[in-house]
Amino acid sequence: MKTIIEPFRIKVVEPIRMTTRDERERLLREASYNVFLLRAKDVLIDLLTDSGTGAMSAEQWAGIMRADESYAGAVSFYRFKEQLTSMTGFEYVLPTHQGRASERLLFELIGGEGKVVPNNTHFDTTRANIEHSGAEAVDLQIPEAKDPRNRHPFKGNIDIAALEDLIKRVGPERIPAVMVTVTNNSGGGQPVSMANLRETRAICDKYKLRFILDACRFAENAWFIKQREPGQTERSIREIVREMFDLVDGATISAKKDGIVNIGGVLLIRDESLFQDASNLLILTEGYVTYGGLAGRDLEAMAQGFEEVLEEDYLQYRIRSIEYLGERLINAGVQIVEPTGGHAVYVDAKSFCPHIPPEQFPGQAVVCGLYREGGIRAVEIGSVMFGGHGRPNPAMELVRLTIPRRVYTQSHLDYVIEATIELYTRRESLRGLRILDEPKALRHFTARFEEL
Ligand SMILES: *Cc1c(COP(=O)(O)O)cnc(C)c1O
C-alpha cells in the first residue's frame, strides 16, 4: 500500500473549539497580536511547539497507574534506567525534570569563565545555560544550512573544518565539550549524518575533547539517517540510535520531544567521577538520584515512550506527515525551508510577504494571519525572537508550524494547508507590526504589538 496512515487508533478524544473570524479578530487584539498571550482554548490547531504536547499511548497511561512512588530505588526508576541503558549503552543515567535541567547540571560542572562550547546550533536554553556558567556558546552550522532553498540531505551537520579551526584558535584546554544537536532544532529541525557524527568523534579524539549529544530528537534523526545516508538503509533504527550514542561521552535529552511525554528529561554521562558530581548536584536542587524531580509515574511514561519512539511505523508516519505538509505548501508556491526536517515546517516569511520589512516583523504578520484565517497558532522564529536590544536581525524570517506527536490527523494537516494557502493568496493584505512594550530578555513570550 502506498498510503501511509496514522499507526494508531483513537481511544480518548479532546474536543477543539471552532471560533468565528470576528471572535478571532477580537481575541487577537486582546492578546496584543502576540499568540503566546492567547488562551489555548481559543486555539483550534496548536502548532506552537512539539515539546510536551504529544499524545501518550494506552501503555504509557497504564504505566502511570502502575508506577512505584518510593522515594529511593523505585521499580519505576529501574524500568526507566534499563530502557535508557539498553537503548544507548550508557550505564550512568540520571532523570531530570526536563532538558534544561540536564544542561544546567552539566554546564555548572564543566562550563565557566573563559570556556568555549561549539555546537552545530545551540538551542536557546542550551546557549543560556552555557552563558550563565560564564562560558561562550559558538554555532558552527554548515554554510548550506543558511539557504532555505538548498536541499542538502543533512543540513544539520556541524562544519568540521570550522570546528577544527576553532579548536586550534582558542586551544583545546578551553573547550570542555563539543556538542552536536540532533536534529538541529534551531536550524530547521534538520538532521545530522552518521558520517558527520563520526568525523566529530575523530576530531574530539585527536584533541582529547569530550563529545556531548543534545539528543532531544535522536529517533527522528536516526530515521533520516536510515532514509538518506548511503550504507545505512539496511540497519534498524535501534542499531543506528545505538551507534549515535556509542560515539559520544554524554547526552542531554528533553523527554518532552522523542520521549513522547508531557514532562521529563535525561542526563547520560560516561565518566564515573563526572557522574558522581552530577548526582550530588541533582540531589541538591532537583531530587534524589532515583527520581530527579519527577514522580515515579513520569519515569514509567518515559521508559515506555522511549521504546515506542523507536518503532519504524511510527517514525515513517511522523516524518512523512511533516513532509506532506511541506510538499503541499511548496506546490502552492509557499517557500519553506527545504527539505522538510523532523518536527516542523518552517515557512519563509521574507518571501511570503516581501512588502513587510524585517523592522515590521514579517514572521509575526504571518503568525497573526494564520490565527485570523483558521485559528491556527504558529510561532515566529525571526526578528521578534532574535532581534531587538541592539542585536542584528537574523538572516532568516521564519514561521514554524510545529507538529505535536500523535495528536493531529491528516485532515487536521489538510486544514492547515488550506488556511495557509488561502492566506498566501491574500498576502498583500498582511500588515506589519510595531512593538508597544517588551521585556529585557526573551521578548517573544510577552511583547505587545500593534498593527501598522
Ligand atoms: C527542547 C529542547 C531543549 C530543552 O529542553 P526542555 O525540556 O524544554 O528544557 C534543548 N535542546 C533542544 C534541541 C530542544 O529542542
Side-chain angles (χ1 to χ4, degrees):
M1 293 296 291
K2 283 216 301 292
T3 307
I4 296 167
I5 58 167
E6 289 86 2
F8 47 81
R9 52 187 179 179
I10 296 166
K11 183 180 303 223
V12 177
V13 296
E14 188 179 4
I16 50 178
R17 191 173 73 97
M18 291 282 184
T19 44
T20 65
R21 185 176 274 270
D22 285 346
E23 277 180 282
R24 291 195 293 273
E25 193 60 59
R26 174 178 57 78
L27 292 162
L28 194 59
R29 196 171 52 246
E30 286 169 5
S32 305
Y33 302 94
N34 183 343
V35 293
F36 280 99
L37 304 178
L38 287 169
R39 291 184 186 223
K41 72 171 176 53
D42 298 325
V43 174
L44 183 66
I45 307 238
D46 203 344
L47 307 184
L48 195 64
T49 177
D50 67 325
S51 180
T53 53
M56 292 208 292
S57 66
E59 278 307 310
Q60 285 177 295
W61 285 110
I64 281 187
M65 201 60 233
R66 208 187 294 123
D68 174 4
E69 301 296 345
S70 302
Y71 190 96
V75 173
S76 300
F77 169 74
Y78 286 103
R79 178 156 181 235
F80 162 79
K81 179 173 180 284
E82 276 148 29
Q83 173 62 30
L84 267 296
T85 300
S86 81
M87 182 171 81
T88 67
F90 275 82
E91 291 296 334
Y92 298 131
V93 180
L94 290 176
T96 61
H97 79 272
Q98 57 185 90
R100 69 196 69 183
S102 304
E103 293 165 354
R104 202 273 301 166
L105 295 171
L106 183 66
F107 289 106
E108 190 163 328
L109 293 169
I110 69 169
E113 215 62 57
K115 304 271 176 71
V116 180
V117 183
N119 198 332
N120 47 356
T121 311
H122 290 277
F123 181 68
D124 52 11
T125 62
T126 321
R127 170 175 289 278
N129 273 292
I130 290 170
E131 290 174 352
H132 183 71
S133 82
E136 187 190 343
V138 180
D139 291 341
L140 299 174
Q141 56 185 173
I142 56 170
E144 289 88 338
K146 286 166 197 154
D147 172 10
R149 286 170 187 78
N150 189 309
R151 296 188 63 94
H152 188 292
F154 291 101
K155 270 171 125 173
N157 284 354
I158 190 166
D159 186 333
I160 297 289
L163 174 62
E164 192 159 17
D165 284 349
L166 177 85
I167 298 169
K168 286 185 183 148
R169 197 171 71 244
V170 307
E173 63 290 346
R174 286 179 60 200
I175 301 183
V178 172
M179 286 190 86
V180 169
T181 304
V182 294
T183 55
N184 188 1
N185 184 1
S186 311
Q190 298 291 330
V192 177
S193 70
M194 190 67 87
N196 191 252
L197 292 172
R198 290 175 184 157
E199 284 176 77
T200 308
R201 176 75 261 173
I203 295 275
C204 288
D205 286 344
K206 182 170 168 190
Y207 295 96
K208 304 213 165 13
L209 298 176
R210 250 188 225 113
F211 182 9
I212 305 284
L213 204 59
D214 178 339
C216 292
R217 297 177 182 80
F218 65 92
E220 292 173 4
N221 199 79
W223 181 256
F224 283 111
I225 287 177
K226 186 174 166 71
Q227 298 307 303
R228 295 182 182 172
E229 191 162 350
Q232 298 286 342
T233 40
E234 298 304 315
R235 298 178 84 190
S236 68
I237 288 297
R238 207 176 283 276
E239 277 177 275
I240 294 172
V241 164
R242 182 54 191 266
E243 185 180 344
M244 287 165 54
F245 283 103
D246 279 346
L247 287 168
V248 298
D249 305 300
T252 54
I253 307 179
S254 168
K256 300 170 74 172
K257 300 9 178 316
D258 274 352
I260 327 184
V261 290
N262 306 120
I263 197 72
V266 187
L267 178 59
L268 302 174
I269 295 178
R270 198 83 68 187
D271 175 74
E272 189 185 349
S273 93
L274 185 61
F275 169 73
Q276 287 308 339
D277 293 343
S279 301
N280 294 338
L281 265 187
L282 185 80
I283 294 171
L284 187 69
T285 59
E286 302 279 312
Y288 187 59
V289 291
T290 62
Y291 72 86
L294 294 166
R297 53 183 171 270
D298 299 319
L299 300 174
E300 282 284 342
M302 271 201 276
Q304 182 63 27
F306 282 129
E307 183 59 32
E308 291 174 8
V309 80
L310 300 174
E311 285 164 15
E312 302 199 2
D313 284 350
Y314 161 75
L315 285 168
Q316 180 184 44
Y317 135 79
R318 167 81 180 149
I319 303 299
R320 175 61 195 147
S321 55
I322 317 282
E323 186 184 47
Y324 170 78
L325 171 59
E327 251 169 37
R328 297 279 301 270
L329 294 181
I330 292 173
N331 292 345
V334 178
Q335 183 64 50
I336 63 164
V337 176
E338 298 178 63
T340 44
H343 62 290
V345 168
Y346 294 70
V347 173
D348 179 8
K350 265 189 193 167
S351 72
F352 201 101
C353 32
H355 62 288
I356 303 178
E359 314 78 77
Q360 295 179 12
F361 311 121
Q364 192 67 16
V366 174
V367 167
C368 290
L370 283 171
Y371 183 69
R372 266 199 187 99
E373 189 66 41
I376 298 160
R377 176 155 69 170
V379 63
E380 193 260 12
I381 307 218
S383 26
V384 176
M385 194 177 269
F386 299 120
H389 307 290
R391 294 179 297 181
N393 285 329
M396 294 198 269
E397 297 286 342
L398 302 175
V399 172
R400 188 180 73 186
L401 304 170
T402 337
I403 312 301
R405 291 170 183 75
R406 307 191 291 205
V407 169
Y408 295 117
T409 63
Q410 183 174 346
S411 67
H412 289 120
L413 292 186
D414 285 333
Y415 175 91
V416 171
I417 290 161
E418 186 183 331
T420 310
I421 294 172
E422 188 59 36
L423 184 68
Y424 186 64
T425 58
R426 290 186 291 96
R427 59 192 181 278
E428 287 81 22
S429 66
L430 286 172
R431 289 152 67 189
L433 298 112
R434 185 172 78 82
I435 290 187
L436 292 173
D437 53 65
E438 59 181 302
K440 286 203 177 64
L442 298 173
R443 65 177 179 173
H444 54 286
F445 290 122
T446 52
R448 297 186 320 116
F449 299 85
E450 87 183 347
E451 283 192 311
L452 294 167

